[in-house]
DNA sequence: TATGAGATCAACT
DNA sequence: GTTGATCTCATAC
């Protein structure tokens, strides 16, 4: 099975995003199946890169296949996978995982037992995988990251993005249909 | 079920 | 000084 290489990410975010649903994300051997993510690109007013390069979002302006980690609301960490080509400043925000391996570790880090809440949100999954600002800019095709493509094409649902106020109407949220681990349910069509 | 406050930081006005 | 790609806990209905 071919790994998810930099070439995989060096395409339009809107192509990459749905193909990542169902893929497995491990960080230091802990993680699970990606069930929810959102796409952002530089011409998108909701994207961090919209207003140009800053110290925080510099990684988004680099080559595809790297992790952009930022602090949200002063408390939480969120991970993105940088896509497209260098300078296009596009990325997918990983919003939720279905826990698969290292569940006991994630429970300990999150201090909760409900498996459903372990990784169902961008801030939550970073806490469960122990991803923080020191991991900003790491390559996705080398440890501690380990990405495995999905075995089969799953049923995918799309919807509007969550928790943003600008350009909130774009249906750039992707999810695994019927998953119990989504951060919020997708609106029925 | 639903709203509201608090935590706490970097970018932006 | 305000806002934000958030989460948790508390209080109210």
């Amino acid at each position: 099975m071919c790994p998810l290489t930099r070439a995989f990410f060096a395409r339009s975010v809107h192509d990459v995003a749905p193909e990542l649903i169902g893929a497995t994300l491990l960080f230091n051997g802990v993680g699970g199946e990606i069930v929810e993510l959102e796409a952002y690109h530089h011409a998108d007013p909701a994207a961090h890169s919209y207003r140009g390069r800053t110290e925080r979002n510099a990684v988004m302006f680099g080559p595809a296949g790297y992790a952009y980690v930022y602090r949200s609301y002063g408390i939480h960490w969120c991970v993105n996978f940088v896509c497209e080509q260098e300078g296009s400043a596009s990325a997918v925000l990983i919003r939720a995982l279905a826990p698969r391996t290292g569940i006991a570790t994630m429970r300990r880090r999150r201090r909760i037992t409900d498996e459903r809440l372990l990784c169902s949100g961008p801030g939550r999954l970073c806490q469960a995988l122990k991803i923080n600002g020191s991991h900003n800019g790491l390559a996705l095709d080398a440890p501690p990251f380990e990405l495995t493509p999905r075995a089969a094409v799953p049923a995918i649902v799309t919807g509007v993005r969550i928790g943003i106020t600008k350009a909130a109407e774009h249906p750039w949220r992707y999810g695994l249909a019927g998953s119990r681990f989504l951060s919020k349910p997708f609106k029925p069509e």
Side-chain angles (χ1 to χ4, degrees):
Chain A
M1 186 175 295
C2 63
L4 293 178
T5 59
R6 293 174 199 191
F8 173 86
F9 292 101
R11 297 176 296 136
S12 162
V13 266
H14 301 300
D15 291 336
V16 173
E19 291 181 29
L20 279 173
I21 296 293
T24 296
L25 166 65
L26 296 183
F27 189 78
N28 283 319
V30 173
E33 181 186 5
I34 298 172
V35 296
E36 182 184 344
L37 48 76
E38 290 174 0
Y40 290 87
H41 68 83
H42 67 106
D44 173 2
H48 285 176
S49 54
Y50 181 61
R51 290 165 194 283
R53 179 179 179 135
T54 64
E55 196 165 329
R56 175 171 72 152
N57 66 25
V59 174
M60 278 187 86
F61 288 81
Y66 287 83
Y68 164 47
V69 184
Y70 70 93
R71 200 190 269 287
S72 174
Y73 290 88
I75 320 262
H76 305 284
W77 295 104
C78 300
V79 244
N80 295 249
F81 295 167
V82 178
C83 294
E84 304 194 6
Q85 60 237 333
E86 185 159 357
S88 76
S90 304
V92 292
L93 167 71
I94 309 303
R95 288 193 55 89
L97 303 181
R100 287 282 187 271
T101 49
I103 291 177
T105 304
M106 292 193 275
R107 281 209 174 105
R108 193 167 58 245
R109 287 172 182 163
R110 297 265 299 119
R111 289 158 205 232
I112 58 169
T113 53
D114 190 344
E115 201 171 295
R116 209 163 151 166
L117 297 176
L118 280 181
C119 301
S120 60
R124 290 168 176 168
L125 79 88
C126 282
Q127 191 184 358
L129 303 207
K130 219 173 178 180
I131 293 175
N132 59 50
S134 70
H135 308 298
N136 189 33
L138 289 186
L140 298 172
D141 56 0
F145 281 103
E146 188 181 338
L147 278 160
T148 314
R150 62 200 183 192
V153 177
I156 291 174
V157 286
T158 59
V160 295
R161 295 175 293 180
I162 292 180
I164 58 175
T165 54
K166 287 169 282 195
E169 70 281 6
H170 295 302
W172 291 338
R173 177 176 178 231
Y174 299 86
L176 179 61
S179 172
R180 300 155 39 226
F181 299 100
L182 300 174
S183 64
K184 283 193 179 157
F186 281 76
K187 269 192 228 167
E189 177 62 25

